[in-house]
Structure formats: C-alpha cells, structure tokens
Amino acid sequence: TPSVIVSQREDLDRLDKAIDKLKPEYREAIILKKIEGLSYKEIGNRLGKSTDAVGMLVSRAMISLINTFERI
C-alpha cells in the first residue's frame, strides 16, 4: 500500500542520516559488513585489524547506529 511505501522510505531516509552521523570508523565498518557483505577477516585485511578487533568494531558500530537511528 502507499502508506507502507512512504513509511519504508522514511525509515530508509532515517537510516541514511544515522549512518552519516556515525564516526568514520564505525560508518566504514557498517558499510563493509552490512552493505558490501565482507567477512570479519576480509574487513580486517582491508583495515589492518585482527578479526577480533573487527568483530568488536562492528558490534560497537551497530550499537551506535541503533542509538542514532532511534534519536532521529
């Protein structure tokens, strides 16, 4: 229905704004993991970080994204 489409578009706009407000390292981690679909190992190779460090970075980035999204 049109109202569902409008609601989804509004959520996507909020998500874009929330991603833009993240710290650069968090934004990069989210994009590499959730949009490009890279593994933690692949992200680690790209960023020069261990797999464990990438896991923590992505986790913190997701928490920050959720908190930012909820405030918009």
Side-chain angles (χ1 to χ4, degrees), residues 8 11-12 17 20 32 34 36 40 49 53 55 57 64:
Q8 288 175 343
D11 284 346
L12 285 175
K17 288 177 185 175
D20 286 343
L32 292 174
K34 300 300 182 179
E36 294 187 20
Y40 286 168
K49 296 183 181 290
L57 179 63
S64 181

Side-chain angles (χ1 to χ4, degrees), residues 47-61:
L47 301 180
K49 296 183 181 290
S50 71
T51 303
D52 288 341
V54 170
M56 186 62 72
L57 179 63
V58 170
S59 178
R60 289 178 180 162

Side-chain angles (χ1 to χ4, degrees), residues 10-60:
E10 289 171 353
D11 284 346
L12 285 175
D13 288 343
R14 286 176 58 208
L15 182 58
D16 282 342
K17 288 177 185 175
I19 290 172
D20 286 343
K21 290 182 180 218
L22 292 176
K23 296 189 324 188
E25 67 178 336
Y26 285 178
R27 184 171 41 251
E28 184 174 26
I30 293 287
I31 290 170
L32 292 174
K33 182 64 181 159
K34 300 300 182 179
I35 296 173
E36 294 187 20
L38 298 182
S39 68
Y40 286 168
K41 183 176 181 178
E42 292 169 318
I43 296 169
N45 289 338
R46 217 181 255 195
L47 301 180
K49 296 183 181 290
S50 71
T51 303
D52 288 341
V54 170
M56 186 62 72
L57 179 63
V58 170
S59 178
R60 289 178 180 162

